[in-house]
Amino acid sequence: METEGSFGSLLRWAADHGISDSVDQQTSHSCLGHSLCICFFPDAGGRGLGAVRQLNKGELVLRVPKSVLLTTQGLSLEDEKLAMALKGYPSLSSTQKLTFCLLYEIGKGTSSWWFPYLKHLPQSYDILATFGDFEKQALQVDYAIWATEKAALKSRMEWGGVKGLMQESNIKNQLQTFKAWLWASATISSRTLYVPWDEAGCLCPVGDLFNYAAPEGESLDVMDVSSFSPHVSLNGDMTTDELHEEKRDTPWALTDGGFEENVSAYCFYARESYKKGEQVLLSYGTYSNLELLEYYGFLLQENPNEKVFIPIEHDIYSSSSWPKESLYIHQNGNPSFALLSALRLWATHPNKRRGVGHLAYAGSQLSIKNEILVMQWLSKKCHTVLNDLPTSVEEDNQLLCNISKVQDLQVTRELRKVLLAYGGEFCAFLETNGLVNSDDAEVHISRKLKRSLERWKLAVQWRLLYKKALVDCISYCTRTICSLSS
């Protein structure tokens, strides 16, 4: 428990302003203690909220009044100078405005009304936009590298659009840098919750301490066209960013909490029953591991919503009307419903596709010969992708083990020697961080080096899960072929 330690001032401030984990909302030195407490879960997200008693599914576990939510609207109402500054830049997106407002409020220091909350925000994040070139290349897979480049470019463009506003507002120079902007935008991306009056959402003191749980059984494995959002075209025109915004900007984005007008507060409910000491988790949408990395800076070893994509020829896309984002492999290696449907149609002679289309779209096998052809193509494609990647599953497993050993080093005197001994990517890591020509005595695990190690580790974990899914897909195809051939 950390409730009366470093978080004591935050929890006292929260209690003074109506945040409570008790229905009675009795005056207390802490807003927690009746239902929740701050705990550290080393194997499940780190710092989070744990149950201090038996919690029943659907039970109210935390209430945060609207007056405490940090939003662009709330800050503008309290600060006339800020409101006037924002009016001069009407073209800024809601996210740019909230990101700027966060930096503006940070610049007030201890005089900020939200200071007890702001000082407990993480000092760094590991979202894709923070990945350097080394960590980006460590992802190995083209579409993951592209997503990282796109995230970094987007951050720079958004920062460029706000530079004039920052200069006119005379916020501190260090808060006008891209580094500061990247931190603030990562805070907004990873910690905001949906509110109906602002597309950017809100920062929710104490409420943002919940760690994430993937919603079970809600992945977009299409069983029929109606399971798509009406905004997703059959040509696959919706971008990843648009999908993310849709998840964040709709009331159903948070499945176990939301802003309630009748009590003018953000209310959180237990998504399941919890025993005393268990971590209480929050679900805020269905995300693949790459999306979790892009927007939140973590991934899940077991993610029911994971989507693994492989290169697919244009004639396969054109043989059906499934959108591209629906043609993927699940984390367990099973091809998605849409991928199987598209491949079955593609493996059918063009003159016969119209006659069997209704069967393919219903998920039916078209023939034993057709199904075997589909499995053979899919297995060969997975083999090709795996062989073209720089490292194998076994090599990545060993690399992760070595990275963890480096992170656990107690004595750092011989850090450079240890890294050189591991060879391979560790040599590139040393070069990237300017440690190739350093003496062992000068090399230590600084905060910057720790962050780089953590981002590298995340990249390797992502690519390893990607490869394992392809290996499992090959096994799936082999089993299916054997079953059909017997």
Side-chain angles (χ1 to χ4, degrees), residues 128 287-294 298-303 305-307 331 461-462 465-466:
L128 284 186
Y287 292 92
S288 69
N289 274 337
L290 189 61
E291 290 172 324
L292 287 175
L293 270 182
E294 181 168 1
F298 68 89
L299 49 75
L300 300 175
Q301 293 298 316
E302 299 291 335
N303 187 351
N305 306 298
E306 176 66 322
K307 299 175 183 178
Q331 191 173 38
Q461 286 175 329
W462 184 87
L465 290 171
Y466 176 89

Side-chain angles (χ1 to χ4, degrees), residues 69-86:
L69 302 178
L70 198 156
T71 64
T72 301
Q73 182 188 89
L75 289 171
S76 298
L77 289 173
E78 295 295 326
D79 192 318
E80 186 177 342
K81 179 183 174 184
L82 173 63
M84 290 299 295
L86 289 173

Side-chain angles (χ1 to χ4, degrees), residues 332-334 375 471-486:
N332 63 5
N334 293 359
M375 293 299 117
V471 171
D472 289 340
C473 187
I474 293 170
S475 298
Y476 170 90
C477 294
T478 302
R479 290 194 306 271
T480 303
I481 291 171
C482 289
S483 175
L484 292 171
S485 302
S486 59

